Amino acid sequence: TSLIIDLSAGQIPASVTEIGDRAFSQCWAMNGDVVIPDTVTKIHTSAFYYAMKKADVGTQYNHTEKEKAGELTLSKNLTRIGSRAFIGDNALVANDLTLPNGVTSIGGGAFAQCSGLTGKLDLNNVTEIETYVNFNYGAFRETGFSEINFRNVQSIGEGAFANMPNLETLKLVSDTVTSIGMRAFEDNTALKTVIIDCPNFVQSDTSTIFNKDSSITAFDLNWSGKINNYTFSAAAGEITSIRIGNKVTELGTYVFYNTAAGHSLSLIHI
């Protein structure tokens, strides 16, 4: 018997349990909602790679404009979302996205450039956000989320939450986070307040977590050991408040270099 999938409607039959590498990659006919049925447990690498891309964004591909945005619905029984699974699908929309309970790792670039994903991102039981090649393929890079609930995350990959134009407050308070990759939060131009309280996180010598976040005015920082050289260099606006917690033992060179200090700047060490 033949398996018929209506690509124009983005329908996937309930008999499917896994979606393989590049299964729907660059399927220009896809238009409308994309519903992943609850029978699906794994979405593999590049499964929907640029399948729901608006024609007017970028010049990588030349195809017709999508007739309408399509709403993304994920399977409740997913356990894995692979690298670049939905990269470039900026015609997909979702207001508030909670990742399914069974997903514990997210591939690098999984939702990169999905600017139609907005509201609150709840990572739920995810412990690892992976790196794919480098920070240019961050898992949620260039998404439209305005709030992130990190919950159980232990490892944050390179560029994971970079270029998010709606993110104004970053609150990462966690005893579980032990690793934050290079430029994980770079180029978030609307970001004003940064709160990182991760007592078990030790910054690697090569990790510059922020870069070109030009509007930050308040920092509340607490992690183990040293805040590395250049960590926030050129990554802030007119700073009015810096609070350094009692887990920090050393501030590296040029930590806040080339940032603007406001008239009421206060530096507090608890």
Side-chain angles (χ1 to χ4, degrees):
T1 59
S2 300
L3 177 65
I4 300 175
I5 298 177
D6 183 358
L7 292 179
S8 65
Q11 294 177 353
I12 300 171
S15 57
V16 173
T17 58
E18 295 189 23
I19 300 175
D21 294 359
R22 292 186 176 270
F24 299 101
S25 174
Q26 303 175 42
C27 285
W28 310 137
M30 290 189 71
N31 194 66
D33 299 341
V34 173
V35 179
I36 311 297
D38 290 342
T39 53
V40 174
T41 59
K42 295 180 181 178
I43 301 174
H44 291 281
T45 300
S46 303
F48 293 90
Y49 179 97
Y50 288 97
M52 290 288 290
K53 180 181 182 293
K54 292 180 180 177
D56 61 341
V57 179
T59 57
Q60 185 174 4
Y61 304 110
N62 182 21
H63 56 91
T64 57
E65 179 69 81
K66 300 299 181 186
E67 294 178 7
K68 62 178 181 179
E71 186 169 352
L72 173 64
T73 302
L74 295 176
S75 162
K76 296 177 182 178
N77 296 308
L78 278 177
T79 59
R80 171 67 180 167
I81 301 175
S83 299
R84 304 190 303 173
F86 294 95
I87 192 172
D89 292 333
N90 53 13
L92 283 180
V93 298
N95 183 28
D96 296 343
L97 181 65
T98 298
L99 297 181
N101 292 333
V103 176
T104 57
S105 65
I106 296 286
F111 293 97
Q113 302 172 26
C114 292
S115 55
L117 305 183
T118 59
K120 181 178 180 179
L121 170 64
D122 189 337
L123 294 171
N124 205 351
N125 291 320
V126 171
T127 58
E128 182 181 11
I129 302 169
E130 300 168 2
T131 296
Y132 179 83
V133 184
N134 57 37
F135 55 81
N136 290 314
Y137 294 94
F140 297 95
R141 190 181 186 99
E142 296 180 45
T143 55
F145 294 113
S146 57
E147 182 180 351
I148 306 166
N149 189 335
F150 290 92
R151 290 189 183 265
N152 301 298
V153 170
Q154 298 173 13
S155 176
I156 298 173
E158 294 185 12
F161 300 99
N163 297 79
M164 296 174 66
N166 299 323
L167 188 66
E168 295 187 4
T169 299
L170 172 64
K171 186 176 182 180
L172 177 52
V173 179
S174 172
D175 291 333
T176 62
V177 171
T178 58
S179 174
I180 302 177
M182 181 177 290
R183 299 189 180 184
F185 302 104
E186 80 164 351
D187 208 12
N188 290 313
T189 55
L191 189 60
K192 294 179 174 61
T193 302
V194 172
I195 302 168
I196 300 179
D197 188 356
C198 299
N200 294 311
F201 166 56
V202 179
Q203 190 176 8
S204 69
D205 291 340
T206 59
S207 175
T208 300
I209 302 171
F210 291 82
N211 182 48
K212 297 183 290 185
D213 301 272
S214 56
S215 299
I216 303 173
T217 59
F219 292 92
D220 188 338
L221 309 172
N222 191 32
W223 63 73
S224 291
K226 181 180 179 180
I227 297 180
N228 282 348
N229 307 347
Y230 296 97
T231 295
F232 300 103
S233 176
E238 188 161 326
I239 304 173
T240 58
S241 175
I242 302 174
R243 177 181 175 274
I244 307 295
N246 60 4
K247 285 286 185 178
V248 177
T249 59
E250 182 181 353
L251 297 179
T253 58
Y254 296 100
V255 171
F256 293 100
Y257 176 71
N258 199 23
T259 59
H263 297 295
S264 58
L265 173 63
S266 60
L267 181 63
I268 304 171
H269 190 292
I270 296 177

